[in-house]
Amino acid sequence: MKILVTGGTGYIGSHTVVKLLEQNYEVVIVDDLSNSEESVLDAIKEITGKQPLFYQFDLCDSVKVAELFTEHKDIQAIIHFAASKAVGESVQNPLKYYRNNLDSLINLLYQMEQHSISNMVFSSSCTVYGQPDKLPVTEQTPFKPAESPYGNTKQVGEEILRDTTNAIDQIQAIALRYFNPVGAHESALIGELPKGVPNNLVPFITQTAAGEREQLSIFGSDYDTHDGTAMRDYIHVVDLADAHVIALERLLDTKQKSSFEFFNLGTGNGCTVLETVKKFEEVSGVQLNYKLTDRRPGDVEKIYADTSFANKELGWSAKLGLGDMMASAWKWQKRISKID
Ligand code: NAD
Ligand code: WQD
């Protein structure tokens, strides 16, 4: 069974490719390496003993996308990770985000129609909810106006999927709304490789612990949470990877209940920034240099998932806790920073 994984050398994509290969799927990766390295393919091979087929090109190039599907007429499903994901950059350069994230999706859907391919799993995000009025947030919570062009590409991406699956009988899709993916594969051979200064909390924590950043700024200590710092639902990337295989198989086995479904993927546990830092210190044994600073513009105060729909319908729940997330992120950081 041949599966196209776009963005398959990226952070979440590479962990999912490992799961797919371990379950004997044939994997074709397309990635333009705009935010990942070709060496990830070697790491995937080292973990699984298998080499996925790899094409390096930009999915906004409709001619190249068409050629790929002509060459691989037996693709059964697409897991579409490829997108630009830096929230701040999307505010500075919205057209890059609208073009990259939407053109790539449209090109793929167009080829699905041309080649009668039925199944797509799409990377969505909890960012579609903004700051929900009620927590935990369920899939039925209406979207708030997006806080960033990036967030808007995920809202519009889901709308494109809804309209397309309504209009074209043969196409069905599942959008997975990830909360805050963190951690790395247990081998520490693949993990998150942020380019430049990380925006996200956990890479900033591990780089600070590794001595690559002087100090972690904790953005905001006056939020309405028990310790004043913002609350998120961190989810281990390996748990996320499992959910992709389950969603894929739901589509392949035509078990879905409508042509477009969407699921929250989180642990259901809200964790504050300070709790995350403390857990990191506990599992790593490293004392972190941090200070409390002003809030970061655009941040929501607290969000965590109601996961009951994914638990019931997908039969999936997160198995790994915050300690596993921090320990694996630290193991990965130590490997890439060459710390014993
Ligand atoms: P990532 O940047 O590590 O992976 C994305 C991959 O897609 C990269 O390897 C990049 O080179 C590739 N890519 C980007 N644009 C491309 C294009 N036009 N053509 C071909 N390849 C292209 O990001 P990730 O964290 O693995 O995220 C995967 C998906 O999940 C994205 O759609 C992202 O928006 C979404 N998501 C991520 C998070 C998160 O915090 N990591 C949270 C929610 C949703
Ligand atoms: C988590 C918490 C920060 C860095 C982002 C995207 C979202 C989704 C997931 C893709 C916040 C605080 C952070 C630092 C800090 N991605 N923090 N010091 O903002 O919840 O979500 O990634 O879809 O769209 O917006 O994640 O890891 O940046 O921040 O105090 O140096 O850590 O203020 O409260 P966020 P994050």
Side-chain angles (χ1 to χ4, degrees):
M1 185 89 69
K2 192 181 277 184
I3 312 297
L4 170 62
V5 181
T6 74
T9 48
Y11 173 44
I12 308 169
S14 57
H15 288 80
T16 304
V17 167
V18 164
K19 293 280 177 187
L20 290 169
L21 292 172
E22 284 172 350
Q23 296 188 36
N24 291 323
Y25 287 97
E26 194 179 341
V27 174
V28 178
I29 294 177
V30 174
D31 200 301
D32 63 0
L33 303 181
S34 54
N35 199 38
S36 56
E37 308 282 343
E38 200 167 352
S39 60
V40 170
L41 296 168
D42 300 329
I44 290 171
K45 177 141 193 230
E46 203 173 330
I47 296 168
T48 63
K50 293 177 191 167
Q51 181 88 47
L53 211 52
F54 174 65
Y55 293 85
Q56 182 182 350
F57 66 82
D58 181 349
L59 289 155
C60 297
D61 183 337
S62 57
V63 175
K64 290 246 172 62
V65 176
E67 283 169 5
L68 178 88
F69 284 93
T70 306
E71 190 180 338
H72 294 279
K73 290 196 185 302
D74 50 346
I75 286 173
Q76 302 280 319
I78 302 170
I79 307 184
H80 181 37
F81 292 103
S84 303
K85 64 164 182 176
V87 176
E89 186 193 38
S90 80
V91 176
Q92 303 303 319
N93 196 352
L95 293 180
K96 171 180 169 182
Y97 277 68
Y98 287 117
R99 173 170 288 160
N100 198 40
N101 294 5
L102 299 181
D103 279 5
S104 55
L105 174 62
I106 293 165
N107 284 342
L108 289 168
L109 288 168
Y110 185 76
Q111 291 304 323
M112 286 175 76
E113 184 181 19
Q114 296 300 304
H115 292 273
S116 302
I117 295 167
S118 298
N119 308 305
M120 176 179 276
V121 179
F122 173 71
S123 295
S124 189
S125 167
C126 68
T127 198
V128 298
Y129 298 117
Q131 174 63 68
D133 298 327
K134 224 177 114 208
L135 289 171
V137 61
T138 73
E139 287 83 353
Q140 300 319 317
T141 304
F143 292 176
K144 294 259 174 77
E147 302 264 352
S148 68
Y150 166 75
N152 206 20
T153 68
K154 294 299 176 189
Q155 293 189 349
V156 175
E158 287 203 21
E159 282 165 18
I160 291 172
L161 288 173
R162 179 173 293 108
D163 291 344
T164 307
T165 53
N166 273 337
I168 303 169
D169 278 350
Q170 136 250 327
I171 299 185
Q172 46 184 10
I174 292 179
L176 299 176
R177 296 175 180 164
Y178 319 145
F179 279 62
N180 285 58
V182 298
H185 191 262
E186 60 181 3
S187 65
L189 289 167
I190 52 174
E192 189 171 7
L193 240 188
K195 289 195 172 163
V197 181
N199 292 308
N200 295 115
L201 177 65
V202 174
F204 210 106
I205 289 176
T206 57
Q207 289 191 11
T208 306
E212 293 177 12
R213 309 274 156 214
E214 204 185 312
Q215 190 174 49
L216 168 77
S217 294
I218 295 184
F219 300 134
S221 53
D222 58 349
Y223 285 113
D224 182 20
T225 58
H226 57 85
D227 61 21
T229 65
M231 186 177 277
R232 298 289 184 272
D233 185 341
Y234 298 96
I235 166 94
H236 201 300
V237 66
V238 170
D239 276 328
L240 275 189
D242 281 334
H244 285 79
V245 180
I246 292 172
L248 171 77
E249 291 177 347
R250 182 175 174 91
L251 291 173
L252 292 172
D253 298 343
T254 55
K255 295 235 173 77
Q256 78 285 354
K257 302 214 166 120
S258 64
S259 59
F260 178 53
E261 293 183 317
F262 38 91
F263 296 95
N264 285 344
L265 296 184
T267 61
N269 300 318
C271 250
T272 66
V273 177
L274 263 177
E275 283 168 343
T276 311
V277 166
K278 295 289 165 214
K279 182 58 79 178
F280 175 81
E281 290 185 327
E282 183 191 315
V283 301
S284 68
V286 178
Q287 200 76 13
L288 208 64
N289 181 19
Y290 67 84
K291 64 171 180 205
L292 303 174
T293 63
D294 289 345
R295 294 180 178 197
R296 184 170 69 176
D299 269 349
V300 301
E301 180 169 83
K302 47 187 161 184
I303 185 163
Y304 50 95
D306 182 327
T307 61
S308 47
F309 189 54
N311 301 157
K312 180 168 160 274
E313 283 296 321
L314 297 178
W316 170 90
S317 59
K319 295 188 180 66
L320 300 164
L322 193 63
D324 303 302
M325 301 178 210
M326 294 302 121
S328 63
W330 181 227
K331 189 175 171 192
W332 160 249
Q333 184 69 56
K334 283 197 291 185
R335 197 179 77 78
I336 57 177
S337 300
K338 302 185 171 52
I339 297 170
D340 293 329

